[in-house]
Amino acid sequence: LVDEAQRRGSTYVDPPARLSRLIAEASSEFALGRQADAHEAFVLLINRWLSGCLAAGDGSGCNLSKLGFQEKERLEASSLVGHVFGLQVAQRMACESCDYASKKSDVEYCLMLNVTLGMTQEELQRCRQDSLAKLQSWRRRPLGGGSSDSNVSPTSLEELIDEYMRQERIEDWKCEKCKQLGGVRSFYVGR
């Protein structure tokens, strides 16, 4: 973008506008007038970059787009995009009655944390009321913005991750080994 602007003799480049146009061209979901958020744009970019890595190949000359899901996931995770953005997310279910435990892991490219996780019903209600009041105030605001203060207790990224990884008892989970009900689920994040 900068090189193109310099060739035309321009002193100003607006990469966000260009990036926005390229994203809109890549998916009708981002067409002008449609509602989409930054997370959806990020996921679109990651998916396109991963597809580009598979299309570029691994040097073997094989068509990697015809591989199975697990093989593709392994190659994507080992790509440049996978190294920069990939997370190994694992879930472990342990039986409360015997020593059986199952583990499942996947590569994820964004960790979605629930900012209301762990809030009391009163805090959730206050958050909803506060959000509605902010929306109504925003609609009536003069141009120029306003405050983004909230009546909800502040939290930190560390607290959100701790809450995400907190063990959870699942009463109706049935053990594959002893067939008893009740297990504990826990999540782990690596890389």
Side-chain angles (χ1 to χ4, degrees):
L1 291 175
V2 173
D3 292 340
E4 181 181 322
Q6 288 174 339
R7 278 193 298 272
R8 292 185 313 202
S10 176
T11 58
Y12 175 74
V13 178
D14 188 6
R18 176 93 186 259
L19 180 61
S20 175
R21 191 182 90 242
L22 291 172
I23 290 172
E25 289 171 1
S27 173
S28 62
E29 182 178 350
F30 297 95
L32 187 61
R34 294 243 175 144
Q35 183 177 350
D37 63 23
H39 175 260
E40 291 165 334
F42 177 73
V43 170
L44 173 74
L45 289 172
I46 292 291
N47 286 333
R48 292 294 171 112
W49 291 335
L50 289 170
S51 295
C53 288
L54 284 177
D58 63 355
S60 68
C62 296
N63 184 352
L64 301 180
S65 63
K66 294 184 179 185
L67 294 175
F69 176 77
Q70 289 181 336
E71 294 160 317
K72 280 185 187 178
E73 188 174 71
R74 185 182 52 76
L75 286 171
E76 289 172 351
S78 66
S79 71
L80 176 62
V81 175
H83 282 288
V84 173
F85 295 103
L87 301 167
Q88 192 72 31
V89 179
Q91 171 183 296
R92 182 177 185 269
M93 279 298 302
C95 181
E96 292 181 317
S97 301
C98 71
D99 62 349
Y100 177 78
S102 66
K103 186 176 180 183
K104 177 184 175 234
S105 70
D106 293 303
V107 175
E108 297 290 339
Y109 294 92
C110 52
L111 185 62
M112 297 189 337
L113 302 173
N114 183 348
V115 296
T116 62
L117 199 63
M119 289 177 113
T120 66
Q121 287 300 322
E122 294 81 27
E123 288 176 316
L124 285 169
Q125 184 62 29
R126 205 170 54 223
C127 185
R128 287 185 194 107
Q129 291 169 345
D130 191 38
S131 294
L132 183 58
K134 294 282 185 204
L135 176 62
Q136 291 169 347
S137 172
W138 179 80
R139 287 181 175 162
R140 293 187 302 263
R141 83 194 186 305
L143 292 178
S147 171
S148 63
D149 294 339
S150 175
N151 295 326
V152 178
S153 304
T155 189
S156 70
L157 181 58
E158 184 178 351
E159 291 171 322
L160 292 173
I161 292 172
D162 286 345
E163 188 68 28
Y164 175 83
M165 295 174 59
R166 182 177 54 86
Q167 290 187 346
E168 177 183 8
R169 185 171 189 282
I170 310 292
E171 292 179 22
D172 57 348
W173 179 79
K174 187 174 183 179
C175 178
E176 294 177 24
K177 183 178 177 184
C178 72
K179 309 299 184 211
Q180 297 294 313
L181 291 179
V184 177
R185 178 173 55 192
S186 51
F187 289 96
Y188 303 92
V189 178
R191 188 167 81 120

